[in-house]
Amino acid sequence: MKYFIVDAFTSEPFGGNPAGVVLLDRDGDFPEDTFCVKVARELRYSETAFVKRLDAHTFHLRYFTPESEVDLCGHATIGAFAALRRSGGIGDGDFRLRTRSGELRVSVCGGRVNMDMATPKALAEITDETALTELYRIMGLNWAEQCAHALTLPPQLVSTGLPDIMLPVWSRGELARIEPNFPALAALSKRYGVVGVHAFTRDGGGATCHVRNFAPLYGINEESATGTANGALTYYGCLHGFIAAGDDCRFIQGEKLGRPSVVSTHIEKDGSGYAIRIGGEAVIVAEGELLAVPRLYTPR
């Protein structure tokens, strides 16, 4: 099995968000889950995508963190299709992607990959003052100070494939100042049933938002680019009036980690709801052969 290390949401090596990608042999099935987790731990990236080809235009992807499987991962999908193009498995064109979040469309053109997000879902807003105080305290901030600067947007649970808490802060300075209590944040994420917290500010300086993402429950203290969470933030922005249907958005992430990333999104009306796509460039930084021999996945 070939593996790749791909920096997604960047045009520069060692920027963006790195992901592992494993291309399964043409007739091979998925390895057992424990093997996939071990590979993800060995590669040491937040997510590793395992790619199975179903036909010329259809692929099945499964995503593993160093701790467990997750339903969908934007940056690992961008990386996977960049790796497929690099290996000669695909050219430019439109493809179908099967995931635990449903079947999605992916388009590839040169160094850029665009993909559908799962149907956006707005979940609970956090409005109780005790809960707000706890949430901001765990993130290393003070809720009362946010209010003092006329921050009126509420934290809210939103999903476009994976649920996260959208956490508004009033300035880029506040965003940079976040220092979470990671064990407490992992416990809070488990209690709310989310992957983690996606903090953002509209103090954008030419971007739609500057953002930071934290998911210690899944072994990811901070991530430098998060496709699903920025898809969710796009929907959140539409719900709260600072993004409109038809908008192209630009989210800057990873600055604090020294790996600046640009995640592009687009939102459109889709019947009674909305459809969201994310996209970005990707750079292959390494490739090799995985020599460990796995046992194959046995359906339960």
Side-chain angles (χ1 to χ4, degrees):
M1 291 184 292
K2 290 202 74 172
Y3 75 89
F4 296 80
I5 296 169
V6 188
D7 291 339
F9 297 119
T10 182
S11 59
E12 298 292 333
F14 312 114
N17 196 359
V21 176
V22 177
L23 303 184
L24 303 184
D25 296 334
R26 174 73 71 155
D27 299 320
D29 206 343
F30 287 102
E32 287 190 336
D33 292 7
T34 52
F35 178 86
C36 295
V37 168
K38 287 178 180 178
V39 171
R41 287 178 184 168
E42 190 76 9
L43 293 178
R44 296 180 175 86
Y45 296 115
S46 57
E47 278 92 3
T48 294
F50 288 75
V51 183
K52 177 178 172 61
R53 187 172 206 140
L54 301 180
D55 61 40
H57 293 279
T58 308
F59 295 86
H60 184 184
L61 267 65
R62 297 178 67 195
Y63 309 91
F64 288 83
T65 76
E67 301 296 328
S68 63
E69 185 173 10
V70 294
D71 291 348
L72 184 65
C73 176
H75 82 275
T77 302
I78 302 295
F81 278 84
L84 284 165
R85 193 175 188 278
R86 162 83 176 193
S87 69
I90 61 170
D92 291 350
D94 296 323
F95 303 91
R96 294 184 299 274
L97 169 62
R98 190 171 298 170
T99 75
R100 295 207 309 187
S101 289
E103 190 166 294
L104 308 172
R105 296 174 302 142
V106 175
S107 60
V108 179
C109 183
R112 187 173 184 84
V113 181
N114 294 300
M115 63 176 288
D116 286 345
M117 290 284 91
T119 301
K121 298 177 182 177
L123 307 172
E125 289 187 9
I126 301 173
T127 57
D128 177 77
E129 187 168 346
T130 300
L132 288 166
T133 300
E134 176 193 38
L135 172 60
Y136 280 87
R137 175 180 52 77
I138 286 172
M139 300 304 293
L141 300 175
N142 184 290
W143 165 242
E145 289 180 4
Q146 305 302 312
C147 294
H149 287 89
L151 183 72
T152 58
L153 293 169
Q156 184 172 7
L157 284 63
V158 183
S159 174
T160 51
L162 295 174
D164 279 293
I165 298 172
M166 302 296 111
L167 183 84
V169 300
W170 68 270
S171 72
R172 288 171 66 180
E174 284 293 280
L175 188 70
R177 199 163 67 82
I178 290 174
E179 291 187 10
N181 177 330
F182 288 115
L185 179 54
L188 184 81
S189 300
K190 188 172 184 178
R191 175 154 44 96
Y192 277 107
V194 298
V195 173
V197 167
H198 197 59
F200 73 93
T201 179
R202 293 182 61 204
D203 177 20
T208 306
C209 296
H210 286 252
V211 303
R212 295 177 68 188
N213 185 273
F214 308 91
L217 180 61
Y218 287 85
I220 308 164
N221 282 348
E222 183 169 359
E223 196 157 39
S224 56
T226 320
T228 52
N230 284 303
L233 180 54
T234 304
Y235 186 51
Y236 174 98
C238 196
L239 293 174
H240 294 280
F242 62 89
I243 293 171
D247 280 358
D248 291 306
C249 304
R250 185 169 175 267
F251 299 101
I252 307 298
Q253 188 174 339
E255 296 163 297
K256 186 78 171 181
L257 298 174
R259 299 188 68 103
S261 307
V262 180
V263 181
S264 301
T265 70
H266 181 79
I267 184 166
E268 288 284 355
K269 284 289 290 181
D270 183 23
S272 60
Y274 291 88
I276 295 171
R277 301 203 95 200
I278 67 163
E281 297 180 274
V283 180
I284 310 290
V285 296
E287 61 181 284
E289 191 75 21
L290 190 63
L291 300 179
V293 178
R295 289 192 297 172
L296 293 183
Y297 171 73
T298 303
R300 293 178 176 82

